[in-house]
Every structure is written in C-alpha cells, then in structure tokens.
C-alpha cells in the first residue's frame, strides 16, 4: 500500500488505513481495509477517523474485518530503496566505440553517454 495516500478528512495528514464507501440504495456506510486503488467515490480514512466514524441517522455502518493499523515499510520496499540508491551512486562510464564502427557511423565522435542516448560532436 502506498504511503502517499492520506486521510480524506480536511486538515488531516495521517496515512490512510481504511476505505469508506456509501451504498445509498441500502442506506449503508461500508468501512473496510484500504482499497488497492483510490476510487473517486470512496474516502480513505486514517486509524483515528475510521474508529470515530458515525453514519447519518437511520443508516447502518458495516465494518468489514481487517487490520486497520498503518502498515510499515516491508522488506521489499527497503530493498528496492537500497537498490535505487546504489544504482544512483554508480559512476557513469562513457562507452568506447571501436574504430571500425566509428567509420561506419559517419562523421561525429562520441563524447558522452547517458542511458541509451549518446552525445556526438560534428566534425
């Protein structure tokens, strides 16, 4: 679950742990675990606001079983972060072009490389 999803309540910046949806036909408010994707007609709530939820008079609140605590970073998240930092710190070495390839490519000499792009000088 993404740590970027925050509580939908005004002025609340806590991470979302539950999703609230309304079923108007049944006059039911359904509170369940955080949805996989943010939906336009659903509300993400933090732990505090999900515990204090109340519905309009005459409506039923249906609380689906689930762990409504803020998830911490998993080991996969930490490994991905470490790999990204390691990759960003790796020095970029310019690619050497063999003389036979250089003449076949025409005029220009490679002066640098960034990913799959090359910087060439015109002669």
């Amino acid at each position: 679950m993404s740590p970027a999803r925050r509580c939908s309540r005004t002025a609340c910046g806590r991470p979302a742990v539950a999703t609230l949806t309304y079923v108007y036909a049944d006059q039911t408010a359904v509170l369940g675990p955080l949805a996989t994707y943010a939906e336009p007609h659903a509300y993400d709530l933090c732990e505090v606001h999900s515990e204090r939820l109340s519905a309009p008079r005459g409506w039923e609140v249906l609380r689906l079983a689930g762990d409504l605590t803020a998830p911490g970073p998993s080991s996969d998240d930490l490994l991905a972060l470490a790999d990204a930092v390691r990759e960003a710190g790796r020095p970029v070495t310019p690619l050497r072009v063999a003389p036979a390839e250089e003449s076949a490519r025409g005029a220009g000499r490679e002066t640098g490389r960034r990913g799959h792009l090359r910087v060439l000088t015109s002669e």
Side-chain angles (χ1 to χ4, degrees):
M1 286 169 236
S2 175
R5 288 175 63 183
R6 300 286 179 202
C7 184
S8 297
R9 297 291 303 259
T10 305
C12 181
R14 291 186 285 267
V17 296
T19 299
L20 171 68
T21 55
Y22 291 104
V23 182
Y24 292 98
D26 297 333
Q27 292 186 338
T28 305
V30 181
L31 182 70
L34 188 62
T36 307
Y37 301 102
E39 297 290 332
H41 299 290
Y43 303 93
D44 294 335
L45 299 176
C46 66
E47 189 173 3
V48 173
H49 287 119
S50 64
E51 290 173 358
R52 295 181 7 197
L53 174 73
S54 62
R57 186 177 302 150
W59 283 54
E60 180 183 356
V61 176
L62 180 61
R63 294 177 187 268
L64 301 177
D67 183 21
L68 299 182
T69 57
S74 69
S75 61
D76 290 341
D77 294 338
L78 296 174
L79 288 174
L81 180 62
D83 290 340
V85 169
R86 193 175 303 116
E87 184 68 27
R90 197 171 285 156
V92 178
T93 56
L95 179 67
R96 289 286 190 197
V97 179
E101 289 179 18
E102 191 173 313
S103 63
R105 286 192 179 149
R109 183 172 157 225
E110 185 173 330
T111 60
R113 185 177 180 106
R114 185 172 205 168
H116 67 282
L117 303 174
R118 290 188 296 249
V119 178
L120 302 174
T121 59
S122 60
E123 296 180 38

